[in-house]
């Protein structure tokens, strides 16, 4: 479907993608974490998409098995080529 | 108003009250924390109240200044009399 093509395009073109909701604290935490590490995530706020929000959320569940937010996609290969994988891994190990 | 009276009655009759939303992870965390400490919170799930949910959330903001969930009320005097304040404070200090 067209919506599915849009999601796949978003994920392939952006090394860090976060499907989020503006009023969700878990989503806010993950967005700030990436920014703190110097990575600017590509953010899609599902609650600001009107009727498309729930459609995208259902589609993501079909594609990933996850129906919750934040739904995070990280292209580790692309990040590694940009030398940006290390900070992310150090932060993950530090936690 | 009648809704305001209901809220005040809830808070005075229950030593631990959590205004929550069922799909919110911050709300889930605070509810499990109280249960882990042996305190059974009185939980109001705002997203299960239909049109009354947003009304209660607005009223709580007027009463407390807080418009977010989880919105937690703890009657420390009542808990102290029941000998239940100590575990709560120890947990708070431990964090
Ligand atoms: N353990 C999961 C929790 C995910 C979760 O429960 N997310 C909630 C919001 S905090 C959710 O998506 N609820 C359903 C919804 O908002 O549609 C994580 O860390 O991502
Ligand atoms: N720092 C606050 C965060 C509270 C917060 O932002 N709550 C969010 C849900 S996680 C909220 O109520 N958003 C608006 C709404 O759901 O109406 C806390 O720890 O309680
Ligand atoms: S943490 Fe509250 S909605 Fe996600």
């Amino acid at each position: 479907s067209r919506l599915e093509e849009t999601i796949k395009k978003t994920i392939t073109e952006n090394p860090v993608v976060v499907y989020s909701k503006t009023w969700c604290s878990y989503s806010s935490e993950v967005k700030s974490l990436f920014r703190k590490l110097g990575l600017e995530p590509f953010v899609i706020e599902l609650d600001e998409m009107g009727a498309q929000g729930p459609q995208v959320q259902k589609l993501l569940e079909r594609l990933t098995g996850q129906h919750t937010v934040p739904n995070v996609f990280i292209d580790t290969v692309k990040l590694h080529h940009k030398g940006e994988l290390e900070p992310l891994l150090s932060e993950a190990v530090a936690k």
Side-chain angles (χ1 to χ4, degrees), chain A:
Chain A
S1 70
R2 249 178 110 248
L3 203 52
E4 192 166 336
E5 290 316 306
T6 308
I7 292 175
K8 289 181 174 173
K9 186 165 187 284
T10 301
I11 295 168
T12 38
E13 291 183 354
N14 300 283
V16 181
V17 178
V18 181
Y19 287 90
S20 162
K21 290 185 186 177
T22 56
W23 31 256
C24 168
S25 296
Y26 262 37
S27 299
S28 310
E29 286 183 0
V30 101
K31 288 176 285 186
S32 341
L33 176 63
F34 284 122
R35 283 160 190 156
K36 168 178 149 202
L37 296 174
L39 301 168
E40 195 50 50
F42 188 91
V43 178
I44 298 102
E45 300 290 1
L46 296 181
D47 57 300
E48 292 184 336
M49 299 174 69
Q52 262 199 356
Q55 290 177 19
V56 172
Q57 196 165 352
K58 281 213 184 69
L59 208 32
L60 289 169
E61 178 173 13
R62 189 151 69 66
L63 296 171
T64 67
Q66 181 177 320
H67 66 279
T68 55
V69 291
N71 205 330
V72 181
F73 297 84
I74 302 174
D75 187 332
T76 45
V77 175
K78 199 171 287 180
L79 284 185
H80 183 48
H81 285 160
K82 297 170 75 182
E84 286 173 343
L85 187 58
E86 202 104 344
L88 191 58
L89 295 178
S90 311
E91 177 68 17
V93 170
K95 280 196 173 299

